[in-house]
Amino acid sequence: MCGIVGAVAQRDVIEILLEGLRRLEYRGYDSAGVAVLDAAHQPAPLQRLRRLGKVQALSDAAAEQGLAGGTGIAHTRWATHGEPSEANAHPHVSGDIAVVHNGIIENHEGLRRELQAEGFVFQSQTDTEVIAHLIARETAAGQPLLAAVKAVRKRLEGAYGMVAVNSQTPDRIVVARSGSPLVIGYGIGEHFVASDQLALLPVTRRFAFLEEGDVAEITRQSVEVFDLNDQPVVREARESSVEHDAGDKGEYRHYMLKEIYEQPQAITNTLEGRLLNGQLNLEALGDLSDVDSVQIIACGTSYHAGVTARYWIESLAGVACNVEIASEFRYRQPVIRPNTLLVTISQSGETADTLAALRQARAQGITKTLAICNVPGSSLVRESDMTLLTRAGAEIGVASTKAFTTQLAALLLLTAGLAERRADAAAVQQKIANALATLPGLIQQTLGMNEAIEKLAERFAEKHNALFLGRGDQYPIAMEGALKLKEISYIHAEAYAAGELKHGPLALIDAEMPIVVVAPHNDLVEKLKSNIEEVRARGGELYVFAGESAEISSADNMVVVPVPNCDDLIAPIVYTLPLQLLSYHVAVIKGTDVDQPRNLAKSVTVE
Ligand code: AGP
């Protein structure tokens, strides 16, 4: 989704801004723009450049035009209001003011009418342009930029992270945060701002995260932050532990493939200190003894992790568990039982719906909240009582891979914690510990299926639809497989609990419909075999990822790909891998943009 970078320095900041945008490219965008000012001159001419398409096009144009300046703001736009076009790209300018903005201004239509009635002329279809005009109206009336932004934010409804410059005062930038993250980067005699610290890692490792409602004025020498009530506040700058080279593809053709192959290490990192010498160490989870039920909230792939965890939490810990998509939860009036633990799951920790659902649950009286999240310092982490970090490392590919499997590993740890009240807690926890201990090795072994799956992928490239089937805790894995295939290969794919086949989807089966089945050797495998036969009898084309000991063999219209035997408990994690690899290879054959699939964003910070 949209990305923001800003800088105020003595040196030319254009390359810092462009490199920042490059590092945010993974989030998904359709256009890019930059505005720079030369702080040595007051007033300084506002130089703005925007391009439809990739940051490289903007970078080439900036070099051609010799764009330079010590103060600047830059943006990658993911269209919400108005088509992807140069006119709709940020920064938006009104008089001396230039603005970049992430999020959505919900009352923009009313504000647009108000400004048009006063003679302001709009150059774009965006909601953001109202912000530029509103600030320009304040500064034209004599307000300094900081006071102007403070006044304007009171008029805005919706979510925003915004950065503004004024060519009359080119030595400063003013930023405001409400619902969309912003982080300030501290250099020596220079300061930066971005929507994600990853953008600024080449120039600094010291970051302060703005809180909801904060406004900050940033110059080369100072950072002054004001809270929602306009009171000065200190947002402490801390050293970041995020890897500098997180944005490097290394030897891999795509980030997605790199991240698939990083899973053995990512899971080892998730378990570090939490699984010691075959024993679980669950101290970090705190006291869960008063938890009578669990409510999980998440979106997309993270939601699939939650659905998988429900099977574990109910069967292993004996605790009632409900799972819901955040965008649904936030707009209904759920009945939340006393002593409910609210668990949010998110790779980014900035997903707008998940954050809103967390706030909604708090407003309804939930007092115990746990975030399972991959980004330390993210909004979700900061707003939750407890955190279980997944430690997958930066995930750049839009398609979530290592974030998902590490979420599942973390959810097994949570299950073990919730099992504490059971009479046989020690046995259940030891069973989980034993299974988790084998996981990194098993994942490594499962990656050995890559070549076989690459061949299989050729059979999918010409297809328009696919069905994914699973039963029990493999049903959410089928859902995840279908999501992966559709998001990066653009093949329409749906998942069904195999038992549901004859209640409708069986009508879809013909020779043109590939059906992918996840079939570990578990207590449901015989039921699943019956479902497989139902499909075969109707001429369906089956691709079965089956446990080595499941006794399912290739036959007419049925390709069976063996998956290493593993403990039932961790089979959902192991069977995720072949499905990730399948969608990856299909997308490569189809020639889609694997890491930045069309219309999608890595971090969905708007509703
Ligand atoms: C999955 O491949 C997608 N990128 C998407 O469904 C993602 O999982 C969802 O947007 C939630 O993101 P989060 O984990 O950062 O909250």
Side-chain angles (χ1 to χ4, degrees):
M1 211 137 270
C2 303
I4 286 178
V5 189
V8 50
Q10 197 166 25
R11 53 178 164 158
D12 178 18
V13 296
I14 190 81
E15 203 30 59
I16 295 171
L17 298 175
L18 291 170
E19 176 57 19
L21 292 188
R22 280 183 207 108
R23 296 173 74 88
L24 296 181
E25 279 189 302
Y26 76 94
R27 297 167 67 98
Y29 70 105
D30 48 62
S31 53
V34 61
V36 283
L37 299 160
D38 183 355
H41 300 95
Q42 295 214 1
L46 188 60
Q47 308 166 65
R48 173 179 63 163
L49 195 59
R50 298 175 294 172
R51 286 292 179 270
L52 185 62
K54 296 289 179 189
V55 172
Q56 193 52 47
L58 180 72
S59 174
D60 292 345
E64 204 176 299
Q65 297 186 19
L67 217 62
T71 299
I73 55 178
H75 191 261
T76 43
R77 174 175 187 255
W78 186 82
T80 56
H81 294 69
E83 61 186 6
S85 70
E86 196 165 304
N88 286 333
H90 302 208
H92 289 285
V93 169
S94 177
D96 296 324
I97 303 300
V99 171
V100 293
H101 159 233
N102 285 0
I104 291 175
I105 304 303
E106 286 169 358
N107 59 337
H108 73 105
E109 280 172 352
L111 292 169
R112 182 181 272 251
R113 282 195 294 276
E114 174 187 321
L115 289 157
Q116 280 171 332
E118 289 178 28
F120 284 93
V121 177
F122 281 76
Q123 311 287 345
S124 76
Q125 304 156 307
T126 64
D127 52 337
T128 304
E129 197 178 348
V130 300
I131 307 176
H133 290 314
L134 286 169
I135 297 175
R137 184 169 72 178
E138 296 293 326
T139 53
Q143 295 281 10
L145 184 60
L146 175 63
V149 170
K150 284 182 178 176
V152 166
R153 71 163 171 181
K154 299 198 171 92
R155 300 290 319 276
L156 303 178
E157 290 167 18
Y160 54 83
M162 67 156 126
V163 185
V165 291
N166 180 351
S167 62
Q168 296 294 326
T169 50
D171 61 338
R172 62 201 57 218
I173 56 183
V174 173
V175 310
R177 177 204 160 135
S178 179
S180 270
L182 281 178
V183 60
I184 296 176
Y186 285 71
I188 299 169
E190 54 189 15
H191 288 113
F192 312 94
V193 64
S195 49
D196 184 331
Q197 55 181 314
L198 211 56
L200 300 176
L201 288 175
V203 283
T204 184
R205 301 196 63 84
R206 281 187 68 222
F207 296 104
F209 292 91
L210 291 183
E211 301 278 337
E212 285 298 288
D214 283 356
V215 173
E217 184 177 59
I218 303 169
T219 69
R220 279 179 47 213
Q221 306 298 350
S222 63
V223 175
E224 287 184 69
V225 186
F226 303 86
D227 68 10
L228 198 53
N229 304 313
D230 281 347
Q231 295 304 306
V233 280
V234 176
R235 302 292 178 219
E236 208 182 315
R238 292 205 176 91
E239 206 71 20
S240 170
S241 57
V242 175
E243 310 145 49
H244 179 248
D245 65 350
D248 187 357
K249 276 203 284 263
E251 72 202 68
Y252 294 94
R253 184 164 165 198
H254 295 100
Y255 287 112
M256 184 182 175
L257 191 62
K258 174 178 180 248
E259 288 155 5
I260 288 174
Y261 273 83
E262 281 172 350
Q263 290 176 106
Q265 186 58 51
I267 286 177
T268 303
N269 294 347
T270 308
L271 298 178
E272 195 184 317
R274 297 159 176 170
L275 178 66
L276 285 169
N277 304 323
Q279 301 293 315
L280 291 173
N281 174 3
L282 301 171
E283 267 169 33
L285 279 174
D287 181 13
L288 299 174
S289 59
D290 59 346
V291 173
D292 290 334
S293 67
V294 174
Q295 171 69 58
I296 299 180
I297 296 169
C299 303
T301 289
S302 299
Y303 168 73
H304 297 156
V307 181
T308 314
R310 176 171 50 196
Y311 290 89
W312 292 332
I313 291 172
E314 297 208 331
S315 67
L316 294 165
V319 175
C321 178
N322 186 38
V323 190
E324 192 161 353
I325 294 166
S327 56
E328 288 299 314
F329 181 90
R330 67 182 285 196
Y331 287 120
R332 63 181 192 92
Q333 279 84 49
V335 177
I336 300 173
R337 286 176 267 190
N339 300 328
T340 293
L341 170 70
L342 184 92
V343 179
T344 53
I345 309 173
S346 173
Q347 187 287 128
S348 61
E350 302 295 349
T351 301
D353 282 321
T354 309
L355 272 168
L358 168 68
R359 291 169 192 153
Q360 158 81 11
R362 275 196 183 288
Q364 277 192 253
I366 284 249
T367 53
K368 205 164 194 156
T369 61
L370 167 72
I372 295 187
C373 187
N374 195 36
V375 181
S378 61
S379 303
L380 204 66
V381 166
R382 283 180 289 120
E383 292 187 32
S384 301
D385 306 312
M386 299 175 286
T387 305
L388 195 52
L389 287 174
T390 46
R391 305 178 188 152
E395 191 179 66
I396 306 288
V398 163
S400 194
T401 53
K402 61 177 179 171
F404 178 65
T405 47
T406 53
Q407 283 168 352
L408 290 176
L411 283 158
L412 268 176
L413 293 172
L414 173 64
T415 304
L418 288 166
E420 189 64 43
R421 273 197 311 192
R422 285 182 66 129
D424 57 352
V428 171
Q429 290 171 342
Q430 196 55 56
K431 181 176 157 65
I432 294 174
N434 294 346
L436 282 174
T438 64
L439 196 50
L442 259 168
I443 297 275
Q444 190 66 54
Q445 199 185 335
T446 310
L447 286 170
M449 297 172 69
N450 184 46
E451 231 170 90
I453 294 172
E454 192 174 357
K455 286 204 187 85
L456 200 68
E458 287 163 19
R459 297 175 175 234
F460 283 74
E462 298 302 319
K463 302 292 183 190
H464 299 290
N465 301 287
L467 278 183
F468 285 68
L469 303 179
R471 291 193 85 123
D473 59 11
Q474 290 291 334
Y475 169 45
I477 301 311
M479 289 159 77
E480 174 58 8
L483 175 63
K484 284 288 89 83
L485 188 69
K486 77 181 108 177
E487 74 177 326
I488 62 166
S489 76
Y490 314 152
I491 293 174
H492 172 236
E494 295 302 333
Y496 277 92
E500 272 291 291
L501 261 188
K502 49 175 102 54
H503 300 289
L506 213 46
L508 295 171
I509 307 296
D510 63 18
E512 283 311 301
M513 175 71 84
I515 296 116
V516 179
V517 187
V518 271
H521 186 190
N522 60 18
D523 55 1
L524 288 171
V525 75
E526 294 307 323
K527 304 273 173 208
L528 194 62
K529 284 179 186 172
S530 306
N531 302 132
I532 289 172
E533 287 312 316
E534 287 162 10
V535 173
R536 284 192 70 206
R538 285 155 185 89
E541 193 181 292
L542 281 147
Y543 299 92
V544 186
F545 292 103
E548 279 163 352
S549 58
E551 294 183 354
I552 305 176
S553 315
S554 291
D556 284 351
N557 290 342
M558 179 155 91
V559 178
V560 175
V561 188
V563 180
N565 278 332
C566 61
D567 191 313
D568 283 0
L569 211 57
I570 51 168
I573 307 179
V574 173
Y575 278 70
T576 297
L577 267 91
L579 303 189
Q580 293 172 344
L581 288 166
L582 179 66
S583 62
Y584 172 75
H585 289 299
V586 174
V588 170
I589 294 168
K590 290 196 74 181
T592 59
D593 191 343
V594 172
D595 288 328
Q596 292 166 39
R598 69 185 180 200
N599 305 337
L600 296 182
K602 181 66 183 164
S603 185
V604 184
T605 52
V606 294
E607 232 192 303

